[in-house]
Amino acid sequence: MVRRCKYTGCHTLVERPAYYCGKHKQYEAEYAKQRETYSRTYYNKRVRNKDEANKERYQFYRSKTWASLRKLALERDNYLCQYCLALGVVRPNANIGDHVLPAEVFPELRTDLSNIATACRDCDNVKRTLEQEIYGTGQGNTHRNTNLRITVSQWSGLIARKKKDVREGL
């Protein structure tokens, strides 16, 4: 297999695994080091798996347990976004299994099927932002409001308000 030389403007074909042709091979080591620094493996070690809690959470979402729970929730909800549905909007083909109460804050509920709702990408993205604001989830944040239990219909209202604010530029 071949690819083009990575040197800007050079179109010489090089055989894999090399990235540079013979004329530009002096850049190969630097490029390999740069790739290692920004590789998925590096990211997983430094960000996803930086501590035991993150490592466990990352592994859970790649487990058979989560895959089967997610599938059960999607089928139970007929692939309809539950947050949109609570507002009277039918949005089919939703394919995200979302923890209503974030598993990061409420780990005891992560395998509770009643805590998993089907969500569309739009609602999931907005809800994740709201979770960071309300519960302090996400990288480097400190958890707060751990006694606050928000339902699907309450999330729907918050999501709708946030979407409206974004549309209006607030």
Side-chain angles (χ1 to χ4, degrees):
M1 300 225 338
V2 294
R3 67 171 113 212
R4 289 206 172 151
C5 175
K6 292 282 183 187
Y7 190 82
T8 306
C10 182
H11 300 291
T12 305
L13 294 178
V14 295
E15 226 170 292
R16 291 178 186 240
Y19 290 97
Y20 290 90
C21 65
K23 184 177 175 183
H24 303 111
K25 68 182 174 185
Q26 70 266 24
Y27 302 108
E28 189 82 35
E30 182 183 335
Y31 184 76
K33 184 179 176 184
Q34 184 182 23
R35 280 183 55 84
E36 175 59 31
T37 302
Y38 298 106
S39 71
R40 176 175 285 145
T41 304
Y42 177 87
Y43 180 82
N44 286 346
K45 283 181 187 174
R46 301 291 183 258
V47 178
R48 284 194 176 123
N49 300 329
K50 71 179 179 181
D51 58 33
E52 282 305 310
N54 281 3
K55 186 175 185 176
E56 183 185 342
R57 195 166 35 254
Y58 179 68
Q59 288 174 344
F60 171 72
Y61 285 111
R62 273 131 194 88
S63 70
K64 289 180 182 179
T65 303
W66 172 246
S68 62
L69 281 169
R70 179 183 167 274
K71 184 178 180 192
L72 286 170
L74 295 175
E75 289 173 351
R76 176 198 65 204
D77 297 339
N78 295 311
Y79 293 85
L80 298 175
C81 176
Q82 298 303 293
Y83 303 112
C84 290
L85 200 58
L87 297 171
V89 177
V90 177
R91 175 146 326 164
N93 301 321
N95 63 356
I96 296 171
D98 177 61
H99 283 100
V100 179
L101 296 173
E104 186 177 331
V105 179
F106 303 96
E108 69 279 6
L109 298 175
R110 75 179 185 178
T111 57
D112 184 351
L113 187 59
S114 65
N115 187 45
I116 301 170
T118 301
C120 64
R121 184 167 307 282
D122 289 345
C123 288
D124 184 58
N125 287 337
V126 173
K127 183 175 175 279
R128 188 176 315 107
T129 302
L130 289 167
E131 285 175 348
Q132 290 170 351
E133 293 171 7
I134 296 167
Y135 290 111
T137 59
Q139 293 292 331
N141 291 334
T142 305
H143 296 164
R144 58 187 178 276
N145 299 323
T146 55
N147 293 328
L148 183 62
R149 302 209 172 218
I150 302 174
T151 65
V152 170
S153 60
Q154 290 169 327
W155 276 120
S156 296
L158 293 170
I159 290 167
R161 242 177 275 133
K162 186 79 166 182
K163 285 180 180 178
K164 182 181 178 210
D165 290 349
V166 168
R167 279 193 307 270
E168 292 175 358
L170 298 176

